[in-house]
Amino acid sequence: MFYRLRALIRRKAVEDEMDEELRFHFERQVEKYVQTGLDPAEAARRARLTFGGIEQLKEECRDARGVAFIDTLRQDLRYAIRGMWRSPGFTAIAVLSLALGIGVNTAIFTLVNAMGLRPLPVLNPNDLFFIGAESEPGNTAGFSYPLFKAVRDRNQTLAGVFVSAGGAMNVSVEGGAELARNGGLYVSDDYFSVLGVRAVAGRVFTSADDQPVAVLGYDYWERRFGRDASVVGKSIEINAHPFTVIGVTPRRFFGTSTGMSPDVFVPLKMYPQINQNSEQFNSPGSWWLEGMGRLRRGVSAAQAAADLNVVFQQHVIDADMKGYASWRIALQPGGRGSTPLSKPGASIFLAVLMAVVGSVLLIACANVANLLLARNAGRQKEIALRLSLGSSRGRLIRQLLTESLFLAVIGGAVALLFASWGLNALRFFLPETVALDLTPDARVLIFTAVVSLLTVLAFGLAPASRATHVDITRSLKEGSVNCAAGPVRNRLRRALVVSQMALSLMLLVLAGLFTRSLQNLAHVELGFRPEHVLVLSVDPTLIGYKGERITALYKRLLEQLEAIPSVRSASLSQTGLIAGGVWTNLISIPGYTPGPGQNMDSSFSAVGAHFFQTTGISILLGRDFTSRDNETAPKVVVINETFARDLFKGESPLGRNIGLGVEQNLGLFQIVGVVKDSKQRRLNEPPVRVVYFPFLQLPPQQMSRAMFEVRTAGDPAGMIATARRQLLSVEKKLPIFREQTLTQIVADSMIDQSIMAALVALFGGLALLLACVGLSGVTAFSVARRTGEIGIRMALGAQRRDVVAMVLREAIATVSIGAAIGLALSLAAGRVVSAQLFGITGTDPLAIGGAIMILSATGALAGYLPARRASRVDPILALRHE
Amino acid sequence: MANERIDLPQGTLDLLILRTLALEPQHGWGISERIQQISSNVLQVQQGSLYPALHRLERRGWIKARWGMSENSRRAKYYNLTRGGRKQLDSEAGAWRKLSAAVAQVLDMA
């Protein structure tokens, strides 16, 4: 060991010693020959002959010493660096190609990792399981509070268990009103102790806390309090009740739901005190809680499930819940939190992205392989020389692979940089409320390293093994590039470019499909006019308003909004346009018998006076609501086109009555108008029935939050501050939690599709660029090889035009074959993503045709540049060269 | 006379080097000369195998190198046998004798 170390550390000294030893031997040999009577020159010649290759001998000595491996690596690396330094263009393109290819993969992998591969930053996450009651396997309902208490007190298999529920929380610091943007989380007392999460400032709460206390999320602490530790101990108001801040959770702890980041954690037992509708709290049939438990050491999930089901069955009997006897308690691994990856939409989204970036990487690798092939072809003579001087093939392959490895390592390092830039840019597009930890962890670094190493195999192996198959005598005898081992090598290079073209076409088609789908979505008939409309959402129930007080408050708020000079009209609705949930309930029409299997339900929307005028929904028949449609006026409704068409079949619905709710429990209403269809929840939904009724005619107990729509003369975004001030002048603590233009709300609803289209288009462009670099390189190479031939042709009278055409024909043939293969790939890919598309199929001719045109045009350009250069060949020079 | 020189069978070079060094510390050239002399010019050691063998033996710890003055007062690298080397020599020499005796017996039969 010591010997090896010495040999490594004192490499120089050891080398010198070896030189001296061999020189000594050589000189003694010469002396010996001289003694036998030879003249000194002849003696030296003879000695050299018996000695053989001195370098080879030294090499064998190094091998024998066993440090050869590291030594050669060092040598090869130095050689590689020197070589790359000498051809900076090659190095830059190769490293850039690899960095882009690996970088996009790292970025998307980081996203996937953050969304669901990364374990929760808690104690022993693998012991955690989601626990919930389910009506049938897979259909989890969750926990009721009484069930939670039963499980907590009677289980034999859990080290700890907690439940949680999200909720809107209006936080008020020093009297001002503000809403915790990301919402709060009600958690049972043992939440933090079961997870093993400690506070970064102050402390977390336990079952010993019976005062109203709150723990802040790190992000909220940073955003709202600038990480001021003195906030611990301060009093804040949550939903108008005083709470004491006792601590802050660690950075990167976002609870157990990936993508969410609660701003405030509040003990669940405080829930009834700060919520109006708290009947669910103690109801055994109300499954509003999410449960998680930590298994005792040595207990399996199956054992725990058996134990918990015993508890559950007893609870069903105790709480007299006969209907739930068939339900079961199920456990799901919870160490990674509940992840959006388990939702089918998200996983297809990410799978498509992974496939896309994988293709980009393949294209990049093909590029580098092509560059290496060309470079090695140029080094043919050097390689032949080294082989003839006694280098082994293995040794040469190793050296060439070391070069590739070096490229990949640098490419991978630059890729990490690119990925972090890309993710920063991506974060800019994501809604602010999405909390994802996108810092690279060990998993991301390993992923990048493995991908980088795999690329070496993908792009380095074939060129290296090919380069060392040379006909030594021919290579040494003949000229420079002309001997590049003939058509075989060029076929490989062309095959690489063909596959690049094919993959590029597929990505371009995908980009076209997603872009067209997004366009369709953006141009969909909304049914309302979002321009000039501002939307503000308020929830006075969070500060203790109930029933008729809410109605009165809303009237005053509307007056304040209408008082703003630039406001054309203002209205309100219980659910919003596009954003927000939809209320669906049963309807009935006196004298109408539903056909067999006919649905008698509809979306319900409680709206204020002038709602249709304010939002720009066209009135087809009848009238808009007015302020006279109040609590005491006759009950009236307005229906939409689809409703009228479905249930009144061309008769005029005006003046007809319909019953709302189960067995008309909301009352009988008269139809006073019909309006155009408009999108309710999503832009890509089919038309649905909607019945609108006056907000003021809602039963008082149904009064809750509302959205105010304000149509302005000018830019609605500029009105936000004024509108907010007007609202707060009525109620200082009013929780306002969405102040957005309707245009923005519509755009936000397309966020998934927008990100997808933007990313795939970006990657498609990147792929095309890389592929064109490849095509251009191969064409240039082929031109260089045929310089002599081109010279002869020109000497025999060929025009420049003919030469350009000849070279271009070859390039276009490559593009065409690639496009043909790519077309088949695209059709397959189109089928896979067809469910994600809106308004087009996966075989949309425009997307495919467009992609083919873009590919052909850029391909032709990439071929034209070297072709033009070829046509400038001076025949005399070219022939002399030959 | 040159025709009588034979190439060394695989693996025997190490044994010869160890045996030579058992007499006295010697440098590379001296080892090859000594083997040639003692074998009456039958065995000739090529430098191409001698030096890698020396380095290999040194790595295994059977010989040790130090710099010394040669007969004609020049610096030369002298190798001498270590204790491990001597043990190795004994066992290999024994094995070799047994082998060659057995081979001779087979060849001389009938």
Side-chain angles (χ1 to χ4, degrees):
Chain A
M1 197 58 221
F2 169 75
Y3 181 83
R4 283 182 183 223
L5 269 179
R6 187 181 92 99
L8 258 185
I9 296 165
R10 300 188 45 226
R11 245 181 85 252
K12 180 83 172 71
V14 171
E15 286 285 314
D16 287 348
E17 282 183 13
M18 197 157 72
D19 279 345
E20 189 175 349
E21 184 177 22
L22 293 176
R23 200 178 324 117
F24 172 77
H25 189 117
F26 179 77
E27 282 161 8
R28 293 301 302 265
Q29 193 74 23
V30 174
E31 277 169 34
K32 190 180 153 193
Y33 286 135
V34 170
Q35 277 165 15
T36 61
L38 292 174
D39 69 89
E42 177 61 12
R45 201 186 68 82
R46 285 274 292 278
R48 253 195 304 275
L49 268 179
T50 56
F51 234 84
I54 183 99
E55 278 308 313
Q56 203 172 334
L57 174 57
K58 280 199 212 167
E59 189 66 31
E60 277 172 41
C61 287
R62 287 185 205 116
D63 267 341
R65 277 211 309 274
V67 291
F69 178 79
I70 303 168
D71 230 26
T72 355
L73 184 69
R74 189 138 85 177
Q75 240 177 41
D76 286 353
L77 268 180
R78 192 181 302 160
Y79 184 85
I81 294 171
R82 225 184 300 141
M84 293 186 181
W85 196 246
R86 237 183 285 130
S87 44
F90 160 82
T91 312
I93 295 182
V95 167
L96 209 62
S97 293
L98 285 176
L100 286 173
I102 300 170
V104 291
N105 277 275
T106 301
I108 298 303
F109 179 77
T110 309
L111 203 61
V112 174
N113 184 40
M115 285 174 82
L117 299 180
R118 194 194 276 263
L120 293 174
V122 300
L123 189 70
N124 301 334
N126 289 334
D127 298 343
L128 293 172
F129 283 79
F130 283 112
I131 303 175
E134 53 183 32
S135 51
E136 51 196 87
N139 191 9
T140 308
F143 260 95
S144 67
Y145 194 64
L147 174 62
F148 162 65
K149 284 194 285 190
V151 165
R152 181 190 61 194
D153 298 339
R154 293 191 216 142
N155 83 80
Q156 308 285 325
T157 47
L158 301 178
V161 57
F162 64 80
V163 288
S164 61
M169 286 186 198
N170 182 53
V171 179
S172 161
V173 185
E174 287 155 4
E178 60 191 272
L179 196 96
R181 188 181 70 194
N182 297 345
L185 196 68
Y186 295 97
V187 298
S188 58
D189 294 333
D190 295 331
Y191 181 79
F192 294 109
S193 64
V194 172
L195 287 175
V197 168
R198 293 197 189 134
V200 286
R203 61 182 183 88
V204 293
F205 51 77
T206 66
S207 47
D209 286 284
D210 43 14
Q211 297 299 310
V213 293
V215 171
L216 304 182
Y218 189 95
D219 283 4
Y220 182 59
W221 184 47
E222 186 170 43
R223 202 168 65 231
R224 177 60 185 77
F225 300 100
R227 283 191 284 165
D228 177 8
S230 73
V231 71
V232 173
K234 268 200 186 143
S235 180
I236 58 172
E237 281 186 11
I238 298 178
N239 296 358
H241 290 267
F243 277 75
T244 308
V245 174
I246 58 165
V248 179
T249 59
R251 199 175 164 208
R252 293 187 190 153
F253 173 75
F254 301 136
T256 57
S257 293
T258 311
M260 317 274 258
S261 167
D263 287 336
V264 190
F265 296 84
V266 171
L268 181 63
K269 58 193 171 196
M270 301 305 300
Y271 185 88
Q273 294 180 38
I274 60 174
N275 279 276
Q276 304 307 314
N277 307 319
S278 56
E279 309 85 60
Q280 60 178 349
F281 189 75
N282 274 312
S283 155
S286 192
W287 307 96
W288 59 296
L289 296 164
E290 183 179 88
M292 186 178 251
R294 185 184 287 283
L295 299 191
R296 268 191 201 165
R297 191 152 301 183
V299 171
S300 72
Q303 287 167 326
D307 169 44
L308 297 181
N309 273 305
V310 172
V311 176
F312 180 68
Q313 289 308 326
Q314 186 59 44
H315 172 70
V316 167
I317 295 166
D318 293 349
D320 195 21
M321 306 163 60
K322 293 189 190 68
Y324 294 99
S326 67
W327 285 36
R328 289 286 172 274
I329 289 209
L331 275 71
Q332 300 291 337
R336 293 168 203 286
S338 64
T339 138
L341 287 189
S342 53
K343 292 184 193 128
S347 56
I348 289 179
F349 182 91
L350 287 170
V352 169
L353 278 184
M354 282 308 269
V356 166
V357 294
S359 308
V360 173
L361 182 60
L362 282 180
I363 292 174
C365 284
N367 241 0
V368 181
N370 246 334
L371 283 170
L372 283 173
L373 280 172
R375 180 179 155 88
N376 291 346
R379 293 202 306 205
Q380 208 70 185
K381 217 169 170 181
E382 174 203 333
I383 290 170
L385 195 64
R386 294 185 56 180
L387 280 173
S388 67
L389 285 181
S391 278
S392 69
R393 264 195 77 211
R395 179 73 185 71
L396 274 178
I397 290 186
R398 224 178 98 183
Q399 189 204 315
L400 294 173
L401 277 182
T402 308
E403 281 185 19
S404 302
L405 184 72
F406 184 67
L407 280 178
V409 168
I410 298 193
V414 180
L416 283 175
L417 194 69
F418 282 3
S420 79
W421 290 348
L423 287 169
N424 277 340
L426 181 67
R427 192 190 274 293
F428 187 73
F429 285 110
L430 290 176
E432 281 181 337
T433 47
V434 173
L436 286 175
D437 184 2
L438 294 178
T439 47
D441 59 0
R443 200 175 277 104
V444 170
L445 295 179
I446 290 171
F447 173 85
T448 308
V450 169
V451 168
S452 306
L453 291 182
L454 285 180
T455 60
V456 176
L457 296 183
F459 73 75
L461 209 50
S465 94
R466 220 144 242 252
T468 52
H469 278 295
V470 278
D471 182 340
I472 295 177
T473 32
R474 236 186 95 206
S475 297
L476 288 179
K477 220 160 47 193
E478 288 183 23
S480 53
V481 282
N482 288 10
C483 59
V488 180
R489 184 190 312 273
N490 211 32
R491 221 160 32 225
L492 176 66
R493 301 199 54 196
R494 215 153 268 289
L496 284 172
V497 176
V498 164
S499 56
Q500 285 183 311
M501 290 293 153
L503 285 173
S504 298
L505 183 75
M506 181 185 81
L507 297 189
L508 288 176
V509 169
L510 283 178
L513 288 174
F514 284 116
T515 308
R516 296 249 303 131
S517 162
L518 179 67
Q519 271 172 358
N520 286 343
L521 215 50
H523 289 121
V524 83
E525 176 67 35
L526 293 170
F528 55 87
R529 287 182 288 116
E531 309 81 20
H532 300 293
V533 176
L534 179 66
V535 176
L536 299 120
S537 195
V538 302
D539 190 351
T541 65
L542 294 177
I543 50 170
Y545 278 79
K546 279 185 195 175
E548 274 121 33
R549 276 189 68 210
I550 297 182
T551 320
L553 175 70
Y554 286 169
K555 278 183 186 161
R556 287 178 58 204
L557 292 176
L558 270 178
E559 282 162 16
Q560 288 300 318
L561 290 173
E562 281 164 348
I564 302 172
S566 60
V567 166
R568 292 262 170 83
S569 68
S571 187
L572 81 166
S573 58
Q574 193 174 33
T575 53
L577 291 159
I578 300 302
V582 166
W583 175 19
T584 302
N585 208 334
L586 293 180
I587 47 152
S588 54
I589 301 169
Y592 180 94
T593 322
Q598 185 179 17
N599 267 331
M600 288 302 282
D601 59 17
S602 170
S603 282
F604 281 28
S605 187
V607 301
H610 317 302
F611 178 74
F612 302 114
Q613 181 200 336
T614 307
T615 54
I617 297 176
S618 313
I619 298 171
L620 302 175
L621 286 171
R623 63 171 179 91
D624 202 339
F625 292 126
T626 69
S627 52
R628 282 186 303 278
D629 296 312
N630 58 17
E631 305 92 311
T632 54
K635 292 179 167 182
V636 291
V637 293
V638 169
I639 58 174
N640 74 345
E641 268 180 286
T642 300
F643 193 113
R645 200 176 32 246
D646 276 6
L647 298 171
F648 292 102
K649 315 259 190 280
E651 295 167 36
S652 171
L654 290 187
R656 300 278 297 267
N657 287 324
I658 57 174
L660 301 189
V662 185
E663 289 165 2
Q664 297 184 18
N665 67 350
L666 294 173
L668 202 60
F669 289 70
Q670 191 185 39
I671 298 171
V672 295
V674 178
V675 295
K676 248 178 93 96
D677 283 343
S678 60
K679 296 295 172 190
Q680 299 294 305
R681 279 179 304 173
R682 296 187 310 266
L683 299 182
N684 54 359
E685 71 186 8
V688 290
R689 294 176 200 156
V690 185
V691 49
Y692 299 91
F693 57 97
F695 202 94
L696 296 177
Q697 295 182 355
L698 267 176
Q701 67 272 16
Q702 296 260 9
M703 280 289 171
S704 65
R705 58 167 64 186
M707 304 204 185
F708 287 86
E709 289 90 13
V710 183
R711 181 166 288 276
T712 65
D715 173 22
M719 287 260 319
I720 291 177
T722 318
R724 193 185 162 85
R725 205 164 43 241
Q726 290 293 95
L727 293 182
L728 292 177
S729 71
V730 176
E731 169 55 76
K732 188 164 69 101
K733 290 182 178 174
L734 182 71
I736 305 173
F737 48 102
R738 172 180 244 154
E739 310 142 316
Q740 265 183 311
T741 64
L742 192 48
T743 319
Q744 187 61 44
I745 292 175
V746 170
D748 281 358
S749 76
M750 298 186 283
I751 182 84
D752 286 4
Q753 291 91 340
S754 304
I755 291 179
M756 191 70 167
L759 285 182
V760 177
L762 177 72
F763 296 152
L766 206 61
L768 183 65
L769 184 74
L770 291 171
C772 283
V773 169
L775 176 67
S776 192
V778 148
T779 312
F781 179 72
S782 139
V783 165
R785 240 168 33 95
R786 294 166 66 182
T787 309
E789 180 203 330
I790 294 171
I792 293 174
R793 280 174 190 265
M794 291 184 77
L796 291 178
Q799 296 296 307
R800 283 194 168 173
R801 220 183 31 236
D802 304 328
V803 173
V804 170
M806 178 185 83
V807 176
L808 212 50
R809 227 179 352 256
E810 206 177 279
I812 288 174
T814 309
V815 175
S816 306
I817 301 172
I821 299 172
L823 191 61
L825 282 177
S826 307
L827 292 177
R831 189 163 322 145
V832 173
V833 300
S834 62
Q836 315 305 116
L837 301 176
F838 175 68
I840 49 168
T841 63
T843 55
D844 183 57
L846 213 61
I848 294 176
I852 291 179
M853 265 172 56
I854 294 176
L855 186 78
S856 312
T858 25
L861 184 68
Y864 177 68
L865 298 177
R868 205 181 53 175
R869 202 172 320 128
S871 73
R872 302 234 165 110
V873 163
D874 179 343
I876 302 188
L877 277 181
L879 290 175
R880 191 183 297 152
H881 189 65
E882 185 83 338
Chain B
M1 199 171 79
N3 297 348
E4 286 171 30
R5 287 177 186 166
I6 57 173
D7 290 331
L8 281 175
Q10 192 77 39
T12 49
L13 177 60
D14 289 5
L15 179 59
L16 295 182
I17 293 172
L18 292 178
R19 181 68 188 90
T20 313
L21 292 180
L23 304 174
E24 56 171 338
Q26 190 55 273
H27 45 72
W29 189 76
I31 295 172
S32 77
E33 286 297 296
R34 182 68 56 86
I35 292 176
Q36 203 170 333
Q37 252 171 28
I38 295 180
S39 68
S40 320
N41 276 345
V42 175
L43 299 177
Q44 191 160 22
V45 183
Q46 297 293 331
Q47 292 85 326
S49 21
L50 174 67
Y51 284 96
L54 285 172
H55 283 275
R56 190 167 54 241
L57 293 174
E58 189 179 5
R59 193 181 93 206
R60 291 189 182 155
W62 293 337
I63 60 176
K64 252 189 135 86
R66 59 175 176 77
W67 288 91
M69 279 300 161
S70 75
E71 316 75 86
N72 54 359
S73 40
R74 289 237 307 272
R75 232 167 77 90
K77 200 174 180 186
Y78 279 84
Y79 294 91
N80 56 327
L81 211 56
T82 64
R83 191 176 303 187
R86 194 167 292 281
K87 222 181 267 171
Q88 178 68 15
L89 172 63
D90 290 346
S91 75
E92 279 209 11
W96 177 256
R97 287 204 185 92
K98 259 188 227 159
L99 175 71
S100 58
V103 171
Q105 218 166 347
V106 172
L107 290 178
D108 294 346
M109 72 182 172

